[in-house]
Amino acid sequence: MAKVINQIRDIEIIENELKTAIAGLLSYPVTDEKITQFPTTFVYLDKNVYIFFEDESELYDQIHADALSTFSVIKTEKGKKSAEVSFVPAYKFIAVKLFGINKKIEEQKTIDDLNKLYVEKYLKSDLKKKYKKILMIDTEEIQASEEIGG
């Protein structure tokens, strides 16, 4: 089996993947020895990821402000023959991983603006219930790569 891995450095490609992705995986420390991961919807804006929690969410309450978290998105595609590789690809995926500090959003105007963006991305109509618990991953580093294999 052959595979080719390419680092993606073009921020426009990376941001397009983050803007169009439906869901990602948040990983954050609960204790020094335990990390929790969960899949979630999100909004990407100004190089940061915003995650929305239900009012009664215990996960939100577990997340420590100012702790380092990671957020990952993977987009898969069917492999297509191309000039990039000398074999017939069976798969192709793009992976984007953000590293950043957790910040809990508390300003009401920002919460309202983020709720509007969430509605535009996922609901395409008015949201009856507004999210009050929103976590921002304040991005410090972004890594992205493409893998083609077969």
Side-chain angles (χ1 to χ4, degrees):
M1 177 164 175
K3 67 178 167 181
V4 175
I5 301 171
N6 298 312
Q7 293 297 314
I8 300 173
R9 300 196 194 297
D10 185 336
I11 192 68
E12 288 183 27
I13 293 171
I14 295 168
E15 287 190 326
N16 183 56
E17 294 302 324
L18 289 165
K19 288 175 185 173
T20 59
I22 299 300
L25 183 70
L26 176 65
S27 303
Y28 62 92
V30 177
T31 66
D32 288 340
E33 298 176 3
K34 183 179 178 187
I35 293 177
T36 295
Q37 299 180 332
F38 75 96
T40 183
T41 55
F42 70 99
V43 169
Y44 176 77
L45 177 67
D46 298 329
K47 303 205 178 357
N48 298 310
V49 168
Y50 296 87
I51 301 166
F52 300 75
F53 295 84
E54 297 293 328
D55 290 346
E56 58 280 346
S57 173
E58 292 179 17
L59 289 174
Y60 179 84
D61 297 330
Q62 287 179 352
I63 298 173
H64 303 290
D66 299 322
L68 183 65
S69 290
T70 60
F71 188 80
S72 304
V73 171
I74 298 177
K75 175 183 158 189
T76 60
E77 299 176 0
K78 182 135 175 74
K80 298 177 196 165
K81 183 71 175 147
S82 72
E84 296 175 37
V85 294
S86 61
F87 55 90
V88 178
Y91 68 88
K92 174 181 176 180
F93 70 82
I94 295 175
V96 179
K97 190 177 210 180
L98 292 95
F99 303 86
I101 302 296
N102 300 330
K103 306 268 186 212
K104 294 186 177 183
I105 304 299
E106 296 176 355
E107 181 183 302
Q108 190 58 51
K109 182 182 178 341
T110 304
I111 290 171
D112 292 342
D113 292 345
L114 290 168
N115 271 288
K116 287 178 189 173
L117 291 172
Y118 186 88
V119 167
E120 289 173 12
K121 183 173 181 180
Y122 293 103
L123 303 177
K124 311 298 184 210
S125 65
D126 288 335
L127 180 64
K128 305 281 188 260
K129 177 184 162 265
K130 304 265 184 191
Y131 289 99
K132 297 176 193 162
K133 294 182 175 182
I134 302 175
L135 178 74
M136 176 179 84
I137 307 300
D138 189 4
T139 304
E140 295 182 346
E141 180 182 357
I142 300 176
Q143 297 176 356
S145 61
E146 170 188 71
E147 182 174 316
I148 302 168

